[in-house]
Amino acid sequence: MLSRLLGVEMVVDVAPGVQVWAEEIPGPGEPVLLVMGADAAGLTWPDELVDRLAERHRVIRYDHRDTGRSTHAFDEAPYAIRDLAADAVAVLDAFAIDRAHVVGMSLGGTLVQLLLVDHPDRLWSATVFCTASLQGDPDLPGPDPALLRLWGELTDERDREQELDWRVEHWRLLNGAGVEFDEAWFRELEERIMEHSGREDKPAAHAAAAQDGLERDLTENTVPTLVIEAPEDPVCPPPHAAHLASTIKGATLVRIEGMGHAIPPALATPLAEAILAHTAAVG
C-alpha cells in the first residue's frame, strides 16, 4: 500500500505565469532532488522509495510543468525540454538549497545530464537511470514496438476508467518481465496521481516540447555520477546504460536486476540502497 507522507508543500514560480508544485520530505542529511520523467507528476516517485531516502536525506520531489498541480499551459506558452532543467534549479532556489544530490529517471535523467553541464556547482552528486546519453548513438536499440503502438494512443479521448486502464497497461509494458507486475499497486498509484492533479486526462505536453540544445559533452564532467542499468528497460534497453556511463567522465555503473522502466515496490529498496551508497561515498 502507498503511505501518505507528511511533507512541506510549495508553489514555485519558474516563468511568467508558470508555477510548479513541490514537496519537501524532512530528513537528516544533505538534500536529494528527485527529477521524474516525461509527462509524469512528482508523485510517480513512490513513497516506498522516498521514505527510504528520507531516512538519510532531506528529499524534494516536484511536478514538472503540465503535470500534477503545476501550471498546464503548453499550448499558450510552449517551452523547450531544456527549460525543464532550469525549472529544477528554480526548485532548489525556492527551498534555499545551494547544492543537492540529484536523481533523474527517464527524461529526468536527460535533465540531470543538462544540469551536469550547465550547473555542476549546484550538484553534490548525480544519479541517472532509464535514460539515454545526450551524445546519442544511432546503433543503440530503440523502444519496444508495443510501447510505440501504445504511445500512439497517448492523446486519445478516454473516460476515467478507460484512462486508468490505459495507464495500468502502460505501466505493465514499462515494468518489463524482470519482476512480477503488481497491477493493484500501479492502479492505486495512478488514482492517487489523478486525485493529486485534479485531472483525469493523460499529460502529453513534453512530447511536443522543443528538443534543440540537448546535445552536450560530458567528457569533462566533475560531479560524481552514478548510472544505474535497468536490464529489463523496454525504452532504453541495454547497452544504453553502459554507453551512457562511458560518455560521462568518472561515472560508475551499477546494475539492478529485474528493473524495467518503472519503480515497483519490489525494487524500491534496491534502488534506494544504490542511491544511498552513492551519496554516502560522495559525502
Side-chain angles (χ1 to χ4, degrees):
M1 295 290 290
L2 298 169
S3 63
R4 175 65 71 175
L5 294 174
L6 296 177
V8 177
E9 298 183 19
M10 182 181 293
V11 175
V12 181
D13 293 316
V14 296
V18 179
Q19 298 178 320
V20 301
W21 173 91
E23 178 187 35
E24 175 191 2
I25 295 86
E30 304 98 342
V32 169
L33 179 69
L34 301 177
V35 187
M36 189 29 75
D39 299 313
L43 266 63
T44 309
W45 292 104
D47 289 354
E48 291 86 346
L49 173 69
V50 175
D51 282 337
R52 181 68 185 89
L53 295 177
E55 293 175 10
R56 296 251 300 273
H57 291 283
R58 171 188 179 192
V59 181
I60 296 166
R61 58 183 172 181
Y62 68 99
D63 294 338
H64 292 298
R65 305 186 197 193
D66 289 280
T67 74
R69 294 181 182 173
S70 296
T71 302
H72 292 246
F74 181 82
D75 291 342
E76 294 76 26
Y79 48 83
I81 293 296
R82 64 181 184 276
D83 293 324
L84 298 178
D87 292 351
V89 176
V91 171
L92 293 179
D93 291 342
F95 284 96
I97 295 172
D98 292 330
R99 277 192 171 189
H101 301 281
V102 183
V103 180
M105 176 179 182
S106 195
L107 176 67
T110 299
L111 304 182
V112 171
Q113 290 179 70
L114 292 175
L115 296 178
L116 285 171
V117 177
D118 297 334
H119 300 280
D121 57 313
R122 305 299 300 271
L123 277 61
W124 288 118
S125 76
T127 299
V128 294
F129 58 101
C130 298
T131 194
S133 168
L134 294 185
Q135 293 188 16
D137 187 330
D139 295 326
L140 290 172
D144 187 315
L147 268 174
L148 294 176
R149 288 193 294 271
L150 197 64
W151 289 344
E153 304 169 0
L154 190 65
T155 58
D156 290 359
E157 291 189 9
R158 293 179 283 268
D159 62 28
R160 185 179 188 277
E161 289 307 310
Q162 290 171 333
E163 177 62 25
L164 276 172
D165 289 343
W166 189 94
R167 295 188 190 189
V168 170
E169 180 59 24
H170 189 215
W171 280 121
R172 187 188 306 276
L173 294 177
L174 292 174
N175 185 77
V179 296
E180 184 177 355
F181 181 67
D182 190 337
E183 179 174 338
W185 186 89
F186 279 102
R187 183 173 293 274
E188 183 180 350
L189 173 67
E190 286 298 340
E191 288 174 338
R192 185 178 171 209
I193 289 172
M194 283 185 178
E195 179 184 355
H196 166 77
S197 305
R199 303 171 63 106
E200 298 176 356
D201 56 321
K202 175 62 177 168
H206 297 167
Q211 299 188 26
D212 55 297
L214 296 185
E215 294 184 5
R216 302 299 183 91
D217 183 355
L218 285 162
T219 57
E220 298 302 319
N221 173 57
T222 60
V223 177
T225 302
L226 173 67
V227 177
I228 295 175
E229 181 176 59
E232 304 297 326
D233 187 350
V235 180
C236 297
H240 268 275
H243 172 69
L244 172 59
S246 74
T247 67
I248 302 176
K249 183 178 179 180
T252 300
L253 181 65
V254 171
R255 178 183 175 100
I256 295 182
E257 294 298 336
M259 189 171 187
H261 204 90
I263 312 175
L267 295 179
T269 294
L271 178 58
E273 294 300 329
I275 295 169
L276 290 172
H278 180 56
T279 60
V282 172

